Every structure is written in C-alpha cells, then in structure tokens.
Amino acid sequence: MMCENVNLLDSFKIVLVEPQNPINVGTVIRAMKNMGLKHLTLVHPAEMDLQKTQISAHRTEDLLQNIQICDSLDQALQGIHESFGFSARKRTQNWASLDMEAAVSRSLKLAQMSQKIAFVFGREQSGLNNEELKRCSCLVHIETSDYTSLNLAQAVLLASYSLLRQSRMPSAAQSEVPLQRLDNFAPGTRIATQDERIRLLKQLENVLVEIGYFKSADPNTAIHRIQNLLNRAELHNDEYHLLMGIVAEVSNYAKLVERGIQPEKIRPAKSLNDLDPLADPQNIGKLE
Ligand code: SAH
C-alpha cells in the first residue's frame, strides 16, 4: 500500500483566480485541509477579510497563514512545471484536455518526478477566460449532469479528494496507470509512426549539419536527446507534417544563404514576441 504520501501532495498548489466570496475561499481551505493539501494561491482576490473565511474553515490557521496572494496568474504559476485549468465547459478540438481522474493520475506521476503542479480554478461567476486557460498546460472537466457548473469549493473538493484517494492507491495498481497523454483527438487524428519519427529525425540531423549546429554540440548526444523527445511527445500526424515542413524550410534557407540570396521573411500577424507576460486587463471578466 502506498501510504498517505504527504510529500507528494506538497507538490500541489490550488490556485483560485479572482475569488469574490470569502465563504467560498473558507470552504476551499476546509476542503484542502480535509484532503491534505497545503498550498493555496489567490490571484487578485476581491477585497475580503481572510479571517472571515474561518467561518467555514475550522482549525485551518496553518493554511490561512500560508496563503500566497498574487497579482497575476503568471506570477502564481512561477516555478510550476504543469498546470491544470479546471473548467465547467468542455472545449472542443485544439485544447489539450483530460478528465479529472486522468489529470489526477498524470499529475501524481509528475509529482513523483519532483515536478510542481498547479490546479487552477476560475471565478465564481465567469470561470477562467480563454487567455487564462491557454496559460495552463491542460484543461480539466469534472463530469456532471447537463448542469455542468459546480460551486467553486465543490470543484476543489472533488479534485482534492481524487488526489488524496489516488495518492493512496496500492503502488502496483498506480504504476499500471499509464502517464496519460494530454490529448484531445480530433476525428481522424493519428499518432505519427515510428518510421515517420525516424524520418523526421534524419531530416533534422541533415539540417543541423547544414547550419553548422554540431560545431558546438556532440552530434550523438544531441540526436539521441532529440529522439527521446520525439518519442515522448507522441506526435500527432499533423504535428509531424508541421515539423517536417519547418525542417525543409530551414534547409532551403541555409541553401539560399549559401548562394548569397537573402530569403524572404514573413512575420505572423500576432507574434509570441508581442505577448505581454502580465495578464491583459482587458481579458479580465471575459467569459470562458
Ligand atoms: N459560471 C462559470 C463556472 C464558474 S464555477 C461557467 O459557467 O463557466 C467556478 C470554477 O469552478 C470554474 O472556473 C472551474 O474552475 C470550477 N468548476 C466548476 N464546475 C466545474 C466542472 N464541471 N469541471 C471542472 N471545473 C469546474
């Protein structure tokens, strides 16, 4: 039996984005105390007397004193390896998502590898907006009836309960739970085959030679690491094609430069370079 692994649960923090109601925060603290979670972060909470949260959070002074208050979600997620954004709404394609049990299983495995995990919950009224969900590595939806919107503290209670329960599962059973993919398959999606991955690796190796990368890196080590990375990534077919296309373009670029031709450059309309690392106040209050 895997005993209650206090250290494992220590790797988790619960993040509440703009909670408005002290009773809800108190009930979250109570739920966390019951389930053995210690770290609570509030992002830009409404003005509230945190002592009032004691109404529903008996014997939780330790947690109360430990609360971290942040101005932005980015600040709350500093030092976190993987964050799970809890949403009452199911998203469609292009959002990596897991059901709660799978998310908990994955997160416990990551915690076992000493990674820091955040479970992020949204506002009572409007949940998390899309920009905030994009900051999370993965979306989590808790199964409900057609009425999907749980009370904030109830959602935290269910997630924390699942964490505690799975952390106490017999170790053999737990090791049988595979590390779940962060996946939301569109119909027709498939995983790139081993052959495709090797083809991509070969093209990548060629292009790294073309651009002189190996003058500063050991080829064998670098290629082996990239191979491990590609295997771990379990690339989708379309991601494989995207990477093959990029590698081909880098190769063309190198050839043009070699011939003294200045290649054409087109910037995306919205570049990652333009992203403000701090939350855009315009997004605050936008519905998910
Ligand atoms: N009215 C909002 C829900 C807010 S509930 C909406 O419809 O989007 C407050 C928070 O509790 C949510 O942001 C989410 O983090 C969590 N939550 C509520 N129901 C959930 C569910 N079924 N699955 C996952 N998280 C849920």
Side-chain angles (χ1 to χ4, degrees):
M1 198 64 190
M2 190 188 211
C3 60
E4 178 179 348
N5 199 332
V6 177
N7 291 336
L8 212 53
L9 295 188
D10 264 2
S11 300
F12 288 81
K13 70 153 99 165
I14 300 289
V15 179
L16 306 183
V17 176
E18 298 197 339
Q20 301 297 307
N21 183 338
I23 308 274
N24 277 338
V25 175
T27 318
V28 164
I29 293 172
R30 175 72 168 269
M32 290 174 62
K33 180 80 179 178
N34 286 139
M35 299 303 151
L37 292 168
K38 293 194 183 130
H39 307 294
L40 175 63
T41 300
L42 306 180
V43 177
H44 204 245
E47 207 143 301
M48 62 178 78
D49 178 357
L50 284 177
Q51 288 309 318
K52 279 211 180 128
T53 63
Q54 291 275 34
I55 299 166
S56 44
H58 306 288
R59 296 202 290 135
T60 52
E61 297 79 7
D62 50 340
L63 256 152
L64 257 175
Q65 269 155 26
N66 199 14
I67 290 180
Q68 180 193 24
I69 311 263
C70 293
D71 290 332
S72 68
L73 181 55
D74 284 330
Q75 193 188 350
L77 296 182
Q78 262 172 29
I80 293 292
H81 294 93
E82 199 158 309
S83 52
F84 295 79
F86 280 70
S87 171
R89 302 178 205 185
K90 276 192 174 161
R91 296 297 197 285
T92 45
Q93 294 171 16
N94 299 330
W95 288 92
S97 56
L98 289 174
D99 70 44
M100 188 179 70
E101 295 303 327
V104 165
S105 160
R106 177 180 169 84
S107 64
L108 281 167
K109 291 219 171 272
L110 296 173
Q112 273 166 347
M113 297 188 264
S114 304
Q115 301 207 8
K116 299 274 178 223
I117 314 295
F119 279 7
V120 183
F121 297 84
R123 303 159 185 81
E124 292 96 331
Q125 294 303 317
S126 56
L128 295 167
N129 64 38
N130 280 344
E131 287 309 311
E132 288 158 348
L133 285 171
K134 279 184 199 158
R135 295 279 194 285
C136 299
S137 338
C138 169
L139 258 60
V140 183
H141 179 75
I142 303 170
E143 276 309 313
T144 60
S145 69
D146 288 347
Y147 183 44
T148 63
S149 178
L150 292 157
N151 163 272
L152 171 62
Q154 289 174 330
V156 174
L157 177 65
L158 288 172
S160 314
Y161 169 68
S162 177
L163 261 177
L164 181 72
R165 206 177 65 90
Q166 285 202 33
S167 74
R168 287 176 170 177
M169 273 169 73
S171 50
Q174 206 191 29
S175 63
E176 277 164 25
V177 180
L179 191 56
Q180 295 282 337
R181 281 180 52 81
L182 293 183
D183 216 339
N184 191 8
F185 276 94
T189 306
R190 67 168 179 81
I191 301 290
T193 61
Q194 173 82 34
D195 284 345
E196 287 169 330
R197 288 205 299 276
I198 289 173
R199 209 171 304 142
L200 173 60
L201 194 65
K202 280 188 183 154
Q203 301 285 6
L204 200 57
E205 184 176 0
N206 292 343
V207 89
L208 291 175
V209 170
E210 278 176 308
I211 65 171
Y213 177 74
F214 293 127
K215 65 183 178 296
S216 56
D218 170 43
N220 291 336
T221 313
I223 293 297
H224 191 218
R225 282 192 175 160
I226 297 170
Q227 180 165 26
N228 284 341
L229 186 153
L230 291 178
N231 289 340
R232 222 170 43 235
E234 294 180 26
L235 292 175
H236 286 189
N237 188 39
D238 52 358
E239 291 163 342
Y240 157 75
H241 285 296
L242 175 76
L243 290 177
M244 284 293 271
I246 292 172
V247 170
E249 279 305 320
V250 174
S251 173
N252 288 341
Y253 189 105
K255 288 191 180 94
L256 289 176
V257 169
E258 213 174 317
R259 286 159 50 196
I261 302 169
Q262 177 64 43
E264 193 189 358
K265 286 181 193 160
I266 300 169
R267 273 197 186 283
K270 222 175 172 203
S271 159
L272 282 178
N273 294 331
D274 303 327
L275 272 187
D276 182 350
L278 298 173
D280 180 349
Q282 282 188 338
N283 291 325
I284 292 176
K286 267 190 201 161
L287 294 187
E288 292 181 46

